Amino acid sequence: QVQLVESGGGLVQPGGSLRLACAASGRTFSRYTVGWFRQAPGKEREFQSAISRSGRSTYYADSVKGRFTISRDNAKNTWYLQMNSLKPEDTAVYYCAASSKLTYYSAIVARYDYWGQGTQVTVSS
């Protein structure tokens, strides 16, 4: 069946970088809008970024614009989140997600129907 698996999380110092990857299997996601969300303890899951089917359009939450970059490799059925200039407030569990329905990006959790299990990112000195 369909499975999304995140990797690349870990502990990093403020100002450092991490690259997350979401490897999908069981279905081809080349025609799906895909993205990333994060959830900190005690907070709701929030939108981080999304990328269109072709990879030509990207969308970011204001909090990560200029620091994070989303990309995708449809041949590998994988998408990525390059995180630079990390801040302590970026600490959260990061989830990759995909939508079989969207024709335009959405920051709403309910619009995504496929989710990974999450990977922990901790930014601390």
Side-chain angles (χ1 to χ4, degrees):
Q1 290 284 4
V2 174
Q3 185 175 24
L4 276 57
V5 179
E6 301 96 338
S7 63
L11 175 64
V12 65
Q13 295 186 69
S17 298
L18 287 172
R19 189 185 71 154
L20 307 184
C22 182
S25 61
R27 185 169 299 179
T28 297
F29 286 84
S30 61
R31 293 185 60 82
Y32 291 15
T33 296
V34 301
W36 293 89
F37 290 74
R38 69 185 184 188
Q39 187 169 19
K43 296 184 178 180
E44 297 294 321
R45 193 169 300 186
E46 67 174 0
F47 171 78
Q48 290 298 300
S49 60
I51 188 166
S52 64
R53 299 168 183 176
S54 67
R56 295 170 186 167
S57 299
T58 57
Y59 313 91
Y60 299 94
D62 288 343
S63 61
V64 303
K65 285 181 179 178
R67 299 190 298 122
F68 291 10
T69 303
I70 187 170
S71 61
R72 69 189 301 170
D73 186 341
N74 285 337
K76 296 182 178 180
N77 216 24
T78 300
W79 54 103
Y80 306 90
L81 185 67
Q82 178 66 47
M83 305 185 293
N84 298 326
S85 302
L86 283 162
K87 305 174 180 179
E89 51 263 43
D90 294 319
T91 296
V93 176
Y94 283 70
Y95 299 88
C96 61
S99 176
S100 63
K101 304 173 183 178
L102 293 173
T103 57
Y104 186 75
Y105 99 100
S106 177
I108 301 172
V109 169
R111 296 292 292 167
Y112 293 79
D113 44 358
Y114 300 99
W115 292 88
Q117 296 296 313
T119 186
Q120 178 70 47
V121 172
T122 302
V123 185
S124 177
S125 60

